[in-house]
Amino acid sequence: MPTLLHLDSSPAGDRSVSRALTAEFVKNWQAANPGGTVITRDLTTTPLTALNGEWIGAAFTPEDKRSAEQKATLALSDTLTAELFSADEYVFGIPMHNFSVPGTFKLWIDQIARAGVTFAYVDGKPQGLLKGKKAHFLIATGGEYGPGTAAESFNFTEPYLRTLFFFLGVTDTSFQTAGGAAALNYGADRAEFLAPQLKAIQSKFATA
């Protein structure tokens, strides 16, 4: 049976737009895949830390030569990469923070982008090792950064994610952005704002 990795990174809790989108995606995915497995990962409650010298040294030590301390250092990274390999499909909830991904998501990326694990160099050329996976990115932005908008060039979120996951071997990707979410902080109706976004997610499964 298929497996979905559901990952959230917004610190906004119940007010989060990206979490509302991933919840809708998971609900529809489960209906379309009865018996499928969902792996849930909340980065705001995952003990992520910045990479340090010990981590880098452990990662570049051959697995069969790692000390107990090095294995412990890489334990979380091993768990996170195992989730990526065990899932057939991913759905990521990502709010734009300062024109890019949240700090928690970047810390997660640093833990899973590992030479010899999720990518390798073959004859001097990079090769992604996450083959045959499908990734859905559900993004919330406070302003409008879509094609043709005045702030389009400020959007580093989608280009970064597309580039990174392509490097890791994930070429089947889709992006949906709920732009203008800052209006919810100034009295805009949440249900009205979310309605077209939820409908777009439902449509993915209606035509699947």
Side-chain angles (χ1 to χ4, degrees):
M1 300 301 293
T3 297
L4 173 72
L5 172 61
H6 164 208
L7 185 149
D8 281 315
S9 59
S10 172
D14 292 341
R15 297 185 297 107
S16 168
V17 169
S18 63
R19 286 178 184 269
L21 301 186
T22 59
E24 183 68 21
F25 186 98
V26 170
K27 181 177 74 174
N28 283 267
W29 186 91
Q30 289 177 313
N33 297 275
T37 300
V38 177
I39 301 169
T40 300
R41 170 65 62 180
D42 188 338
L43 297 186
T44 67
T45 58
T46 299
L48 298 162
T49 57
L51 302 190
N52 57 26
E54 288 74 16
W55 190 99
I56 294 170
F60 284 94
T61 297
E63 185 173 2
D64 61 351
K65 298 187 184 316
R66 287 175 191 151
S67 66
E69 291 77 10
Q70 288 178 317
K71 291 176 182 178
T73 296
L74 295 177
L76 177 59
S77 175
D78 290 340
T79 296
L80 299 177
T81 54
E83 290 174 349
L84 287 167
F85 279 105
S86 63
D88 307 289
E89 201 167 351
Y90 315 136
V91 61
F92 299 110
I94 304 169
M96 177 190 281
H97 284 184
N98 300 315
F99 313 119
S100 187
V101 299
T104 52
F105 197 86
K106 180 57 170 64
L107 290 173
W108 175 82
I109 286 171
D110 289 344
Q111 292 286 335
I112 61 92
R114 284 175 57 183
V117 180
T118 51
F119 70 92
Y121 286 94
V122 179
D123 296 327
K125 297 180 180 179
Q127 181 179 99
L129 301 179
L130 292 173
K131 300 291 188 180
K133 311 295 186 179
K134 186 173 186 178
H136 308 272
F137 299 92
L138 302 180
I139 301 168
T141 63
E144 296 284 358
Y145 299 91
T149 62
E152 178 182 1
S153 64
F154 293 176
N155 181 4
F156 298 98
T157 305
E158 182 175 334
Y160 173 64
L161 292 169
R162 192 182 298 278
T163 299
L164 174 79
F165 279 85
F166 178 84
F167 181 80
L168 298 179
V170 183
T171 58
D172 188 352
T173 58
S174 69
F175 290 81
Q176 179 179 328
T177 298
L184 298 176
N185 297 327
Y186 302 99
D189 185 81
R190 181 177 173 85
E192 184 177 339
F193 177 84
L194 287 174
Q197 299 295 333
L198 301 181
K199 185 176 181 180
I201 291 170
Q202 294 157 8
S203 297
K204 289 178 182 290
F205 292 91
T207 59

